[in-house]
Amino acid sequence: MHVFITGATGWVGSAIVEDLLDAGHTVTGLVRDSHKAKPLIARGMKIVSSTLDDLGTLRAAASAADAVIHTAWGRDYSKIAENSEQDRQVINALGAALEGSNRPLLVTSGLLGLPAGATESDLPNPASPRKSEATAREWAERGVRAATVRLAPSVHGLGDHGFVPILIRIAKQKGVSAYIGEAQNDWAGVSRLDAARVFRLALEQGVTDPVYHAVADEAVSFKAIAERIGNRLGIPVESREPAHFEWFAHFAKSSMSASSARTRASIGWTPQGPSLLENLEQPGYYA
């Protein structure tokens, strides 16, 4: 299978590329920086050098592929409105390129806004600013074989630059590893390599479900995460008001736990990596 993937050099995207190549598929990746893509090019990935704003190039690359995976997302997590609009436009371009064919499209989303302990059957919150899944569902209604992989809020491993490193950075800056209130909220987690395998297995099994959950640790207490960070940094672990986290407060107080039972049964996915709390024992997270 020839797969076109956006975000090919990203944290999750690069792992997907390597997993696809290891399984014998061919891959074309959208990259902004060809120098950053050199290791993947050496592995056999072809590249399209462009950006998410170049919708014409995205449509052309999608039209030439057997399947499309969209993982790219704006670099600044605090600019969720701008990132969400760009994401919606990209998915529309990819969907238009695949319309009328049976070629699958996998897009990426998260668990924010879903009920605690969400299953694959739960629908996205219409109030959520991120419209990745809603846009994919619109294309599915038009006959495109589109589905969503919901990533756990922590896709962890050395080199992680997502939510947990943000918590570590805040803790270092403020001298306390904090949680909000009584810390009643939980986060899900998944190792980077396990997350990548969800995308490949979903493609190989024909993308028969509308939603897949890349979730290994279904519910990790946010307080336990704060405690692990505090212990590793040697700083207090204390409750704080939401303002302590500034723009990240909405994420820090949210419950983002989920089940992946249906995904595991549907595509034969069994997580193999370490847990989130195990990974947080690694000194590399705090360098």
Side-chain angles (χ1 to χ4, degrees):
M1 185 184 317
H2 173 209
V3 182
F4 171 59
I5 178 169
T6 70
T9 60
W11 174 240
V12 177
S14 59
I16 296 171
V17 170
E18 292 183 351
D19 191 56
L20 288 168
L21 292 172
D22 287 343
H25 301 289
T26 60
V27 180
T28 298
L30 180 76
V31 300
R32 288 176 294 202
D33 183 350
S34 58
H35 179 77
K36 188 177 179 181
K38 281 185 176 180
L40 295 174
I41 294 170
R43 290 285 312 277
M45 184 183 79
K46 300 176 182 178
I47 68 168
V48 173
S49 294
S50 192
T51 70
L52 294 178
D53 295 320
D54 188 351
L55 300 181
T57 294
L58 292 176
R59 284 191 292 267
S63 296
D66 299 317
V68 177
I69 296 175
H70 172 48
T71 69
W73 181 256
R75 289 180 167 180
D76 189 341
Y77 286 108
S78 68
K79 295 183 178 180
I80 191 167
E82 296 93 328
N83 292 342
S84 297
E85 176 55 23
Q86 181 185 61
D87 187 58
R88 186 188 65 80
Q89 292 183 22
V90 168
I91 295 171
N92 280 337
L94 298 173
L98 299 174
E99 191 171 20
S101 74
N102 197 38
R103 293 171 293 148
L105 167 64
L106 284 177
V107 308
T108 310
S109 190
L111 301 175
L112 187 67
L114 293 168
T119 72
E120 294 88 341
S121 298
D122 285 301
L123 295 175
N125 186 338
S128 173
R130 184 166 183 173
K131 303 299 181 185
S132 313
E133 183 175 343
T135 308
R137 287 178 178 271
E138 290 171 1
W139 283 104
E141 291 173 359
R142 294 173 60 168
V144 174
R145 192 146 53 104
T148 302
V149 176
R150 294 174 180 163
L151 294 174
S154 176
V155 181
H156 50 80
L158 290 183
D160 180 2
H161 52 269
F163 283 2
V164 167
I166 291 172
L167 291 176
I168 293 171
R169 186 164 63 249
I170 293 171
K172 286 180 175 180
Q173 290 171 347
K174 303 200 173 185
V176 59
S177 183
Y179 53 90
I180 294 174
E182 298 297 321
Q184 305 269 328
N185 59 315
D186 299 317
W187 278 10
V190 65
S191 74
R192 174 176 172 258
L193 299 183
D194 282 332
R197 287 173 49 244
V198 172
F199 288 84
R200 174 176 61 82
L201 291 172
L203 288 184
E204 292 177 344
Q205 297 298 322
V207 187
T208 55
D209 296 342
V211 172
Y212 300 91
H213 277 185
V215 169
D217 304 313
E218 296 189 348
V220 183
S221 163
F222 188 89
K223 186 176 182 179
I225 296 170
E227 289 172 340
R228 191 62 53 96
I229 292 170
N231 290 340
R232 292 297 303 181
L233 292 177
I235 59 177
V237 180
E238 300 174 358
S239 177
R240 287 288 188 271
E241 294 298 318
H244 173 87
F245 293 91
E246 300 175 2
W247 68 266
F248 195 69
H250 184 57
F251 301 99
K253 69 183 180 182
S254 293
S255 284
M256 293 182 280
S257 57
S259 165
S260 58
R262 193 171 81 183
T263 296
R264 297 180 194 223
S266 176
I267 62 176
W269 178 64
T270 302
Q272 300 170 356
S275 71
L276 170 57
L277 295 181
E278 287 171 341
N279 257 335
L280 282 178
E281 285 295 326
Q282 299 192 71
Y285 254 101
Y286 306 92

